[in-house]
Amino acid sequence: MTRVLIFFFRIALLPLRWRFELRLSKPWRSQKRVLKRIVRAASQTEFGRSRGLTARDRLEEFSFKVPVAGYDAFEPWIQKQMCVEGKVLTAEAVRLYEPTSGSSGKIKVIPYTRSLKRAFNMMFLLWMHDLLSFGPRLRTGRFYFSLSPRMGSQDRTVRGKPIGLADDSEYLIAPLRKLLARYFVKSPPTDGSEPFQKRLAARLAAQTDLEVISVWSPSFLQSLLECILENGYHHGLSWKQLWPNLKIISCWGSASATMGALELRKQFPHVFVQFKGLVATEAPMTLPLLRANGFVPLVDEIFYEFIDADGQTRLLHELKAGQEYAIVISHPAGLYRYRIGDRVRVTHFYRATPCLEFIGREGGVSDLVGEKLGEEFVRNVARELGLASGFVTLIPRRGEAASHYVALLKPEALNDWPEIEDLARRLDEALCQAYHYRYARFTGQLAACRVVVTSKAASLYDQCFLQRGMKWGDIKPRALITNIDDADALQALISKELSPTSFVGLARSQAIAWLT
């Protein structure tokens, strides 16, 4: 019965896929239709009228009247929308407001309308059809989709609109949720005497027919795997024996998530580990297609602009292979020429549309004393030192005498480094390739980099950001912590949870120095 349903589900989605493929062949035509829809809707709002927008405005007028901006420019309009509703920022009725937070910065609230939810559904349906058509053959259909559980009751605006999805499955329309509900592994309730993570790990370990695992962060799945091992839920079985039907793992695999995703590929060599596209609370932007061998943009749902290295704005069909760009998006839910803060690289073209690989956040810089370390640089250093096979994150630490950095690693990252002291020295030398870091070390403003190794690295990282109010779906592995408050919180948690003897291979004097 399940295989028959999978077959008919794939056939039913064929027209959707054909239409999308056709639009990928003519991206500028598709983008013009999307822009026209956005401008027409925006002209009916208070925001649009304040900018002088009209329904007939073309790209030139739209770009002139609405400058590229970040969240701060939209926040007053979103707050007014929440207070009075109506056509303030979006011409559509707002169904809910979804809060989001990155690994740094304040919490943002994004209005969700029918159009935005449709975009998320389109992404999901196209992805599912691609997997069912070109991926490993599924038989049981048992599917675990990582849900961010709600802690406590759901808040509402003064006008009664929900703040936040009940869980991540609400990205899908109700009929699709009902159709797939029998195949989802349900998450346990958040209340109870045992920790949520422990109960979830036990439930997953019991799913012998599990075929697909879809999580956002590979570190989240790693923490569940660790919990399964620590509590004996695997009963001494290997991962292949525990989940003999597992065929697909979907997770982030770009930028700072690369190391964690590659580690999953080593742990599950018999499973197809697919990297997710670029998805944010603000909008879905790209999805992986097997036939494209890359990440394609949703050309018929989101209007894209890109800022190149010279600060010039480019359109989707104007991009060049190998070049890097900052993304600017527009959609009818109320974000117009919104600089989301993500950077992408054009890897190649599928049909006539560029495939976009996420390479990191803009402004990912740590600067304790002027050293200006960038996340992409740190990620390259980790790769250069052979640390790409395990969880690695670099944490800035302010000190009374001299500030320094601490590399938090899992033991799996140490295959090429039998002596931790040698790794710490070599890591510091590699960081000195950055001129400002080298100068800070030379002048004594920064002390030498230190290394902490623990099997709990990934789970401590997740736990830190959960305690800071983030949902699991928002937690992204970072090669470098750039927000000092986040760094202090993670350091405090490590000091609380680990004793000096927990630091594998680390000299006791260094461990004590870290903990004090």
Side-chain angles (χ1 to χ4, degrees):
M1 179 63 183
T2 297
R3 279 182 282 178
V4 173
L5 183 60
I6 289 174
F7 173 78
F8 281 107
F9 188 67
R10 180 168 61 86
I11 297 301
L13 292 177
L14 262 178
L16 183 71
R17 174 62 181 260
W18 286 340
R19 186 167 60 249
F20 185 62
E21 292 273 348
L22 179 63
R23 290 173 178 174
L24 291 174
S25 299
K26 300 177 180 179
W28 176 227
R29 180 180 295 181
S30 302
Q31 286 283 274
K32 283 195 292 186
R33 282 196 296 264
V34 174
L35 178 62
K36 185 177 181 179
R37 189 168 70 240
I38 292 171
V39 172
R40 185 170 59 246
S43 67
Q44 303 173 33
T45 67
E46 288 184 33
F47 174 88
R49 288 192 293 272
S50 74
R51 298 294 195 275
L53 284 176
T54 70
R56 295 184 179 182
D57 282 347
R58 298 184 180 183
L59 176 60
E60 294 76 13
E61 291 87 4
F62 179 62
S63 300
F64 177 75
K65 295 175 180 179
V66 182
V68 173
Y71 183 79
D72 288 346
F74 290 95
E75 186 174 26
W77 293 97
I78 293 175
Q79 293 298 324
K80 185 176 182 180
Q81 182 84 49
M82 295 174 72
C83 291
V84 304
E85 293 302 337
K87 297 181 179 182
V88 177
L89 185 59
T90 174
E92 300 180 70
V94 176
R95 299 191 171 189
L96 60 93
Y97 295 87
E98 178 67 359
T100 180
S101 58
S103 296
S104 61
K106 61 185 177 183
I107 292 178
K108 301 175 287 186
V109 181
I110 307 300
Y112 270 46
T113 65
R114 180 182 178 183
S115 291
L116 185 55
K117 293 195 73 174
R118 183 186 65 195
F120 280 105
N121 277 269
M122 286 288 291
M123 178 195 66
F124 179 80
L125 291 174
L126 289 167
W127 173 65
M128 283 299 298
H129 181 270
D130 190 61
L131 281 180
L132 294 176
S133 300
F134 308 109
R137 187 176 297 276
L138 302 183
R139 297 184 182 277
T140 70
R142 182 63 68 184
F143 191 108
Y144 172 64
F145 186 81
S146 174
L147 301 180
S148 301
R150 175 165 301 285
M151 305 299 177
S153 59
Q154 188 175 43
D155 294 329
R156 292 186 176 270
T157 68
V158 294
R159 307 293 290 185
K161 298 287 185 178
I163 298 178
L165 298 163
D167 60 51
D168 293 348
S169 68
E170 288 197 0
Y171 280 113
L172 307 178
I173 57 175
L176 186 58
R177 286 204 309 273
K178 292 178 181 178
L179 177 65
L180 298 176
R182 60 179 290 191
Y183 300 102
F184 277 140
V185 177
K186 295 182 180 179
S187 295
T190 55
D191 54 346
S193 57
E194 286 189 312
F196 171 80
Q197 185 186 46
K198 186 176 181 180
R199 285 179 289 144
L200 176 57
R203 182 165 296 187
L204 284 178
Q207 304 296 323
T208 58
D209 58 349
L210 189 63
E211 282 196 313
V212 181
I213 294 177
S214 176
V215 296
W216 295 112
S217 170
S219 67
F220 171 63
L221 180 55
Q222 285 290 357
S223 65
L224 289 175
L225 298 177
E226 291 169 8
C227 191
I228 289 173
L229 293 175
E230 289 174 0
N231 291 279
Y233 298 141
H234 66 308
H235 305 296
L237 301 175
S238 67
W239 296 125
K240 187 173 183 179
Q241 292 170 323
L242 181 65
W243 293 312
N245 297 293
L246 185 62
K247 296 181 176 68
I248 299 169
I249 294 176
S250 171
C251 64
W252 283 323
S254 300
S256 54
T258 302
M259 292 181 286
L262 293 178
E263 178 64 20
L264 287 177
R265 282 184 171 171
K266 288 187 176 182
Q267 292 172 280
F268 296 88
H270 58 291
V271 174
F272 172 49
V273 179
Q274 184 186 46
F275 299 165
K276 289 186 182 295
L278 180 52
V279 183
T281 302
E282 291 89 337
M285 286 167 279
T286 68
L287 74 151
L289 288 184
L290 294 175
R291 290 190 67 182
N293 194 30
F295 307 100
V296 299
L298 287 166
V299 294
D300 50 359
E301 296 292 338
I302 307 295
F303 184 74
Y304 301 86
E305 297 175 82
F306 302 86
I307 300 176
D308 64 17
D310 297 325
Q312 299 298 310
T313 302
R314 307 294 181 188
L315 300 177
L316 188 64
H317 67 287
E318 297 174 332
L319 303 188
K320 296 180 179 180
Q323 298 298 304
E324 299 178 4
Y325 303 89
I327 292 189
V328 175
I329 61 170
S330 299
H331 60 63
L335 297 181
Y336 313 109
R337 308 199 76 208
Y338 177 77
R339 188 163 184 162
I340 197 166
D342 291 328
R343 292 187 59 78
V344 294
R345 179 187 296 112
V346 179
T347 55
H348 61 287
F349 283 73
Y350 176 64
R351 299 194 181 274
T353 299
C355 292
L356 309 173
E357 180 186 18
F358 172 67
I359 59 173
R361 296 283 295 171
E362 294 185 80
V365 173
S366 175
D367 195 10
L368 290 171
V369 295
E371 70 279 9
K372 297 181 175 64
L373 281 183
E375 185 174 7
E376 189 169 4
F377 167 75
V378 171
R379 190 161 51 246
N380 290 335
V381 164
R383 190 177 298 115
E384 175 187 314
L385 296 179
L387 303 178
S389 61
F391 179 90
V392 180
T393 189
L394 193 65
I395 310 168
R397 187 178 188 199
R398 296 176 290 192
E400 293 183 4
S403 299
H404 59 274
Y405 284 83
V406 176
L408 178 63
L409 289 77
K410 290 186 66 175
E412 292 82 0
L414 298 175
N415 293 334
D416 299 329
W417 296 94
E419 297 295 333
I420 299 297
E421 290 81 359
D422 290 342
L423 172 59
R425 176 183 53 77
R426 184 66 186 89
L427 177 58
D428 194 63
E429 291 174 354
L431 293 175
C432 282
Q433 295 175 58
Y435 172 80
H436 292 290
Y437 182 91
R438 183 168 71 251
Y439 181 80
R441 289 282 291 114
F442 177 76
T443 57
Q445 297 177 79
L446 284 180
C449 180
R450 302 175 186 178
V451 174
V452 172
V453 182
T454 171
S455 61
K456 297 182 178 180
S459 58
L460 287 172
Y461 180 94
D462 289 346
Q463 184 181 346
C464 169
F465 288 105
L466 287 171
Q467 290 178 354
R468 289 178 64 73
M470 293 178 67
K471 299 190 300 181
W472 259 313
D474 288 333
I475 299 174
K476 301 178 182 179
R478 303 287 299 272
L480 172 68
I481 304 297
T482 57
N483 181 280
I484 196 63
D485 292 331
D486 292 343
D488 289 345
L490 181 54
Q491 291 161 6
L493 185 62
I494 293 171
S495 299
K496 177 182 177 182
E497 296 292 329
L498 302 180
S499 67
T501 57
S502 300
F503 296 81
V504 180
L506 188 66
R508 182 174 178 82
S509 60
Q510 285 184 287
I512 293 174
W514 157 259
L515 291 169
T516 56

